Amino acid sequence: MKKQTWLITGVSSGFGLELTKQLLANGQTVIGTVRKDTTVQELMAQYPETFDREFLDVTDATGIKTLVDKVYEKYGAIDVLVNNAGYGLFGAAEELTDQDVAKIIATNLTGSIQMIRAVTPFMREQKAGRIIQISSYGGQVAFAGNSMYHATKWGIEGFCESIAQELAPFNIGVTIVEPGGARTEFRYGSAQVAELMPEYDNNPAHAFLAMLDPANGLAAGDPERMATRIIESAAIEPAPLRMVLGSQALDSTIQTLEKRVADFKKQTELAASTDF
């Protein structure tokens, strides 16, 4: 790999941590954001010249701009942005509080949008750059009990599809990564669950409880292999707009999209009936 500067949000665990480990081992420079000072201290000691740990809450738009300015001033370039920070929120829509709704939108959706907006002027001046947005196959496929998570992922995917067209003339590529289930803290540690209502017991909205219990079997996705594929994508030209990771995720996505297209095709007469 040619030497590059990577800015990655949320490197304390999961994909962010695995990406950071692999990139540093390959001689890359990584600026990784965290929210607590107790994380990634071993990487700081092992790679003092090529790893910068920065504190950032991605819900802080001013903090995002300050950080991006600082990184560009120090390194003179941001070659790759990886929007990784985010979390899962489970429960029926009625079970979620107003604070639950606002927080996940601010983190998963608005935070990613603001990170991309902050790096865009610098990448545009460079006339080069790559934006990697960690989404989920849940950005295409929806399950009960995941409504707000899906809302953020479907939202960021629409945003990224649009800006990919805006930024292509500046030689800036955009890739949406859609992983399936993986053995990370996202599913088995950091997932947030609403205060469950008995009215939704035996309802599809609570089916996620079985998924979150490791006793029912671990997810098939290997975070290390997934991180490797994500890193490799940064060198692919032109940038792939989407990259699905995990055979189950791909099968589910294809089945969902095929059904959606079939449903649309049934509406030919209905659609035409509203034309002048």
Side-chain angles (χ1 to χ4, degrees), residues 66-194:
T66 300
L67 172 64
V68 171
D69 288 346
K70 176 182 176 182
V71 171
Y72 195 79
E73 182 177 352
K74 180 174 180 178
Y75 293 97
I78 300 172
D79 298 301
V80 184
L81 165 68
V82 182
N83 264 336
N84 171 70
Y87 65 95
L89 175 64
F90 299 94
E94 184 184 1
E95 295 172 324
L96 306 175
T97 67
D98 291 346
Q99 291 75 17
D100 289 335
V101 171
K103 182 180 177 183
I104 195 168
I105 291 174
T107 303
N108 290 13
L109 178 57
T110 310
S112 290
I113 290 171
Q114 296 290 34
M115 284 296 304
I116 292 171
R117 294 181 67 241
V119 302
T120 293
F122 299 109
M123 289 186 173
R124 179 169 48 76
E125 285 186 11
Q126 295 168 184
K127 296 183 172 57
R130 184 63 57 92
I131 295 168
I132 298 175
Q133 176 65 50
I134 305 299
S135 179
S136 162
Y137 83 113
Q140 296 288 326
V141 181
F143 300 96
N146 293 257
S147 58
M148 285 311 305
Y149 179 72
H150 291 308
T152 61
K153 293 306 184 183
W154 287 49
I156 197 58
E157 292 208 9
F159 176 83
C160 286
E161 278 213 29
S162 178
I163 63 151
Q165 299 169 58
E166 298 174 5
L167 300 182
F170 302 112
N171 195 34
I172 302 170
V174 178
T175 296
I176 303 165
V177 180
E178 298 173 331
R183 298 180 190 183
T184 68
E185 288 190 12
F186 175 86
R187 177 176 290 197
Y188 303 115
S190 65
Q192 298 187 19
V193 178

Side-chain angles (χ1 to χ4, degrees), residues 5-84:
T5 299
W6 292 60
L7 173 57
I8 306 174
T9 63
V11 302
S12 61
S13 63
F15 290 130
L17 179 58
E18 188 58 47
L19 287 166
T20 300
K21 288 179 178 178
Q22 292 189 28
L23 287 165
L24 292 172
N26 284 322
Q28 305 302 306
T29 297
V30 177
I31 301 92
T33 75
V34 299
R35 290 186 300 158
K36 299 178 181 178
D37 62 5
T38 56
T39 58
V40 296
Q41 292 179 342
E42 290 184 6
L43 290 178
M44 294 171 63
Q46 188 175 359
Y47 299 100
E49 302 297 323
T50 55
F51 178 55
D52 270 359
R53 183 188 69 178
E54 295 287 346
F55 296 103
L56 178 69
D57 183 336
V58 295
T59 66
D60 178 5
T62 300
I64 287 172
K65 293 176 182 177
T66 300
L67 172 64
V68 171
D69 288 346
K70 176 182 176 182
V71 171
Y72 195 79
E73 182 177 352
K74 180 174 180 178
Y75 293 97
I78 300 172
D79 298 301
V80 184
L81 165 68
V82 182
N83 264 336
N84 171 70

Side-chain angles (χ1 to χ4, degrees), residues 263-275:
D263 288 342
F264 282 137
K265 287 182 175 179
K266 294 176 183 177
Q267 300 182 46
T268 303
E269 291 185 10
L270 171 64
S273 72
T274 61
D275 296 343

